[in-house]
Every structure is written in structure tokens, then in C-alpha cells.
Amino acid sequence: MSPWATVVRYAVQESLRRRVFLVVLVLTGLFLAAYAAGALAIFGGLDDFGGDGDERAAVGTGLLGFAMFVVLFLGTTLAIFLTIGTVRGDAERGLLAPLVVRPLGRTQLLGARMAAAAAMSGGYVVAFFAVLVLLTGAVGQWFPDAVLGAGAGLVGAVLVVCALSLLGSTFLTATANGIAVFMLFGAGLAAALLHQLALGLDSGALKGISELAGWLLPFMALYLASLGSLGPDINTADILGGPSGVALFGWTLVYLALLAAGARTAFLRRDL
Amino acid sequence: MSEVLECHGLSKRYGAKLALESVDLTLARGELVGLLGPNGAGKTTLMKSACGLLRPSGGSVSVCGAPAGSGEALSRLGYLAELFRFPGWLTAEEVIELHQGLSRSRGGAAERAALLDLVGLGEARGVKVDAMSKGMQQRLGIAQALVGTPHLLLLDEPASALDPAGRRAVRELLLSLRQRGISVLLNSHLLSDVELVCDRVVLLVGGRVVRSGRPADLVRPRGVEVETASGVHTYEGSTREDAPRIVSELVAGGEQVYGVRVLASTLEDVYLESVGA
């Protein structure tokens, strides 16, 4: 096994043993149970009223769309907790030095840690979303139009937060980094609210700020894009300014590359 | 190339504080060098610079001819940090296996067993780090540093948590490593251990090398002590060469001599004198 694969395996094992993973799994189980009960009740009510296909699609979209925010939130939480202490946190706890003095190199070490965190949190999001889609389909006989697109948007959003947290870990202690990344996550949500406010007030300045936030924190745009993939009649373009469509895809790749380059440079220059 | 570690004009600055100032230090193959100095003298900074954890502010460090921190340099050294921790959920054997993977060691199970036996953890290979005492973890740290048979071993306070038996085992281990041609830079406050095993000591104070040499060369003669029937007489300033003459004179004067001891300062005296304590 190569040193890179060794670190990935070690990081995945470490993730699985963290208490946060268990907490997220328990919360996921509880949410799925509540979601199943809710879906049964709502689709059952729809049957009683003799709802047609359009109404079934509207209910399914609303239910799944709401649940996707929970997927985003729990996936983000998992990604943050898996990466908040990758550099400075582990260095202060004495865990990093024995790994860094091996011939693997800092770039590969960081890349392997990112790959492991991305695999864990991305895998979690895929599994959680797939269960929700199957559950919604089984209970309500409704499936979203573009399952893959919706899932990819969610995974992309979580990967962006994961990379932000990894970059933050090269500068901040674990606690400070966790707080900072959750604040950025909150800022992404606030940007959408700000955009709505800007539209209501017809304020160009607020609109500009929210659009800038949409570009700087693209995970929100990715989440909204995944919501837009649920059905043909869903328009999420006006919820948040910033990138959309192909521009969003391209910007996400550039953004991830910039975060990776920043984290690498900071890690290479850091005294441990 | 015979030098395993070479530091030339090595300096390290933390903001306004100069932690290392133009340090020159070399380690030959199989040499065991003790690094001494008070807290804050720059010993750990020197160790970390040698293994690439710190970037020097000036000068150069190389390991086996390769720049410190490069893949080639790192593949030839083993390092035990002063403050280190292994994941508590790994067993002793899994820790060694992890480091075998990181260093591309092909030693396999045989190397793991040999290293754990070497540090006295052969029976504890299945014990998780969380369940280990500090001393056991320190011994595991030494075993980890030896993965892949490094040319240079950097040990930062390797015996600080060990009991007397453990310290003795580490001393014996260091001597056996020297016999195998492994160079060791040992940072320790345990002066008696350093005096017993090191070929050479380097004394750092305020980031500068203030004394360097073989322990026997650093200590100074303090006199000759003679035990006679009338009591113990101390001849300060006399050396080993003066002893026969002193004894002859005492015997000629009718004294009965029961014992003669040549007095010399200890490494501790040298250390305390150098740090101004």
C-alpha cells in the first residue's frame, strides 16, 4: 500500500471512530424515521383527497426539498468535524509531527486527508439522499426529474465546505476553525435571505452584496441548483444571486482548486 | 560523505526572539551526540529544523547530504518528538504498521515484532495506545522512530517518562544502535544518562553552542583526595599525575595511606557553570 493510501485508510478509520460520526448517524436515523412518518401522512392525505400527478409532484418536491436541507446541514457538520483539526489542531495535540516527518510529503498528506474527508462526507450525503429519494418514491410514487443532478449539487456543496474547513485548519485552532466555518455556512444562508430582501426592497446595493456572497460561498448556490433539479417547474435562480448553470459548475471547480492551492501553500510554509 | 547530519550557520527566529543563532553541528555515522541546555535554549528548535518541521531563518541543515525536510532526508531519519501522541484507538502493532506504510518499509510483521521486542513491548503488541502508560507510549515512540532502519535518529527527551529500569533499557538501546552504525542526536535533561552513553555533547545556551566535545574532555580535574590514618586530605589543583608524588611524600612522612581518589568535575558541574546557574 502506498503512503498516500495508508493516510487515506488511517483517516477513514479515524473518522469512523469519531463520536461525531455516531451522532450524525443517530440523527440521520431519527430524521429518516420522522420523514417516513411525515411522508406517509402527507401522501396518505393526498390519496384521500384524490390528488393527481401534479399535486403529487408538488408534495414530493416540497418534502424532498426540505429533507435535502437536512442532508446539507448534517453532511456539512460531518465534513467540518472531520477536517477542523487536520493541521493546526492535530499539530497542537502532537498527532501531526510523527506523520509529517515521514517521506510522504506535506502535499500528499494534506491531499490524502482531504480525499478521506471528502469520501466520508460525500459518501454520507449520497447514501442519505438516495435513501430519501427511495423512501419518497416508495411512499408517494414520485421521483425527482434529475436525481443525479440533485445529488451532485448536494455533494458539491458539502465538498466546498469540507475544503473551506481544511484550509481554515492550516491557520486556526480546531475550535476557532469550527466556529469560523459554521459562521461561513450561516453567511451563505444569510446571503439568500439578503437577496430576497434586496428583491423586495429593490435595493441594488443589497443585491450586489448577496450576489458577491453567492460567488464567494458557492455551496449555497450548489444547494439551490440541486433543488432546481427536482422538477421542471422549480425555479431557484432568483433565490440567490451569483453563479448558476455551467458557470456554477466551472466556478466550483476553480473555487475548489483555489482552496486546495491555498491550503497547500499555507501548510508548506507552516512551522510545526 | 561521512556526515549524517550537517548544520551550518543555522538560525531560527520567532518574531523578535532568536531561538537559534548560527549553530554549526555535524554528526558522523554511528556517532551518539547529546544535546544539552536549559529550557528555551533552542534544543527542540534544532531537532525540529533537522527533520523539516521548522523552516530555518538562516543557514542550512542537511541529512545524509539531502536538504532537511526533503523526501530523501526524511526517508533516512527517525524522529521522536518531545510532545507526541498516537491515536488512542490504534494498538501498538497498528501504530508501527501505520509508520511502516508511511515510510515504505518492507519489514512487515517481522520488523514490527523485532521493534516491539526491542523496546520491551513484545507482550503488549495488541494493547491500544489509550490503555498504555506514559512510559509505554514513550517506548512505542522510540520503536516508531526506528521503523525503516533510519541512518539518523533524533530523540527529543526519550526517557522523560521512563522509570529507572526503562531509562537503563533506553541507554542500552542507544549503545546497540551505535554499534549498528545509526547516528543519534539525543536531547535530554538527564545528564547522567548523556554522560554514560554519548560520544560527544553539545551545550546550547540562548540559541548558541557554548561548549562542545567529549564528556571526558569537558570535565576538569578538581584535585586529589587521599585517605590516611589521620583523616581525608584534599589536594586541590592536583592532577592524576601528581598522585604518586603525593602518596610518596605522605608515606615518607610516616602517614598510612588507605586510599587515593582523583577528583574531577562532573558533566553536571560543566553544565551548571556554562548556563551560569
Side-chain angles (χ1 to χ4, degrees):
Chain A
M1 187 182 284
S2 71
W4 193 85
T6 301
V7 176
V8 172
R9 191 182 71 166
Y10 159 73
V12 168
Q13 286 176 332
E14 185 188 39
S15 306
L16 292 171
R17 287 167 191 267
R18 286 202 179 183
R19 201 163 292 161
V20 66
F21 197 79
L22 185 65
V23 170
V24 166
L25 285 185
V26 169
L27 288 175
T28 304
L30 290 173
F31 177 77
L32 284 173
Y35 182 81
L40 277 170
I42 292 173
F43 280 114
L46 195 65
D47 290 339
D48 292 343
F49 284 105
D52 61 10
D54 288 346
E55 286 164 339
R56 191 167 290 279
V59 168
T61 303
L63 268 177
L64 191 58
F66 160 71
M68 282 165 66
F69 182 76
V70 177
V71 176
L72 175 72
F73 179 73
L74 288 178
T76 296
T77 302
L78 185 62
I80 292 173
F81 276 93
L82 292 183
T83 48
I84 49 173
T86 300
V87 177
R88 200 164 152 191
D90 277 4
E92 287 180 357
R93 289 194 298 152
L95 287 164
L96 191 61
L99 305 179
V100 171
V101 297
R102 294 295 174 191
L104 172 71
R106 294 189 185 196
T107 303
Q108 281 202 61
L109 179 64
L110 198 68
R113 295 301 298 256
M114 176 64 192
M120 293 302 295
S121 48
Y124 165 80
V125 166
V126 168
F128 192 5
F129 181 62
V131 171
L132 283 169
V133 168
L134 293 174
L135 200 58
T136 310
V139 174
Q141 285 81 53
W142 173 84
F143 288 93
D145 278 1
V147 179
L148 290 179
L154 279 177
V155 170
V158 169
L159 290 188
V160 165
V161 177
C162 191
L164 275 171
S165 177
L166 196 75
L167 172 65
S169 81
T170 60
F171 298 103
L172 302 171
T173 60
T175 306
N177 188 32
I179 292 169
V181 181
F182 270 116
M183 285 177 76
L184 286 177
F185 183 70
L189 300 181
L193 295 174
L194 199 63
H195 193 75
Q196 294 302 301
L197 201 61
L199 292 177
L201 297 173
D202 196 22
S203 166
L206 284 183
K207 206 172 166 186
I209 293 170
S210 67
E211 285 187 2
L212 180 65
W215 281 94
L216 291 177
L217 302 168
F219 55 84
M220 198 59 199
L222 285 162
Y223 164 65
L224 291 172
S226 70
L227 282 183
S229 303
L230 292 181
D233 301 328
I234 303 165
N235 180 15
T236 55
D238 288 337
I239 295 178
L240 173 72
S244 62
V246 179
L248 174 61
F249 178 72
W251 172 237
T252 301
L253 292 180
V254 171
Y255 189 84
L256 286 172
L258 288 174
L259 291 181
R264 177 182 177 272
T265 304
F267 190 32
L268 287 176
R269 295 178 60 81
R270 176 151 209 94
D271 282 341
L272 296 170
Chain B
M1 179 206 63
S2 60
E3 305 299 353
V4 175
L5 174 68
E6 288 183 87
C7 303
H8 294 298
L10 179 64
S11 300
K12 178 63 186 176
R13 183 179 284 281
Y14 297 108
K17 181 177 164 50
L18 195 57
L20 286 178
E21 189 177 350
S22 294
V23 171
D24 293 315
L25 173 69
T26 56
L27 251 80
R29 182 177 159 80
E31 194 177 22
L32 216 163
V33 174
L35 198 55
L36 304 178
N39 293 329
K43 306 184 299 295
T44 295
T45 299
L46 176 58
M47 287 264 182
K48 285 185 168 185
S49 301
C51 57
L53 289 173
L54 295 179
R55 292 183 309 143
S57 306
S60 65
V61 197
S62 64
V63 176
C64 299
S70 65
E72 196 180 340
L74 293 174
S75 66
R76 291 176 180 182
L77 68 81
Y79 172 59
L80 175 65
E82 181 184 12
L83 300 172
F84 71 94
R85 192 188 289 179
F86 296 123
W89 45 273
L90 288 178
T91 65
E93 186 159 22
E94 286 168 343
V95 168
I96 303 299
E97 190 178 7
L98 169 67
H99 286 273
Q100 283 180 312
L102 293 174
S103 59
R104 295 180 189 272
S105 167
R106 298 184 185 278
E111 183 187 34
R112 293 196 290 277
L115 288 176
L116 290 172
D117 284 341
L118 191 67
V119 297
L121 290 178
E123 300 297 314
R125 66 192 56 188
V127 175
K128 288 195 185 325
V129 172
D130 266 348
M132 289 182 176
S133 67
K134 182 75 181 123
M136 288 170 79
Q137 289 185 36
Q138 203 148 29
R139 280 187 280 159
L140 180 59
I142 295 171
Q144 164 273 144
L146 287 167
V147 165
T149 318
H151 294 207
L152 171 65
L153 200 56
L154 301 167
L155 300 176
D156 201 349
E157 297 286 356
S160 60
L162 299 181
D163 56 23
R167 280 171 53 190
R168 184 176 190 167
V170 169
R171 286 200 305 267
E172 288 167 359
L173 172 65
L174 292 174
L175 293 172
S176 74
L177 291 175
R178 179 170 56 188
Q179 284 178 343
R180 286 156 57 183
I182 297 175
S183 308
V184 181
L185 184 60
L186 172 68
N187 174 15
S188 177
H189 285 300
L190 301 170
L191 299 178
S192 55
D193 286 3
V194 171
E195 193 167 15
L196 281 170
V197 298
C198 289
D199 303 310
R200 192 156 56 89
V201 295
V202 174
L203 190 54
L204 274 179
V205 178
R208 286 183 300 170
V209 176
V210 294
R211 302 286 287 274
S212 176
R214 294 189 313 136
D217 294 338
L218 290 179
V219 297
R220 283 206 313 265
R222 280 174 38 209
V224 174
E225 195 176 76
V226 184
E227 186 186 353
T228 66
S230 61
V232 175
H233 304 277
T234 303
Y235 298 85
E236 287 186 7
S238 299
T239 62
R240 183 172 177 274
E241 285 67 36
D242 297 323
R245 177 184 54 77
I246 292 169
V247 171
S248 300
E249 288 173 5
L250 286 171
V251 171
E255 286 278 14
Q256 287 180 307
V257 176
Y258 295 104
V260 180
R261 198 155 66 96
V262 178
L263 301 176
S265 61
T266 62
L267 193 58
E268 186 178 70
D269 297 325
V270 175
Y271 173 88
L272 292 174
E273 182 188 304
S274 300
V275 303

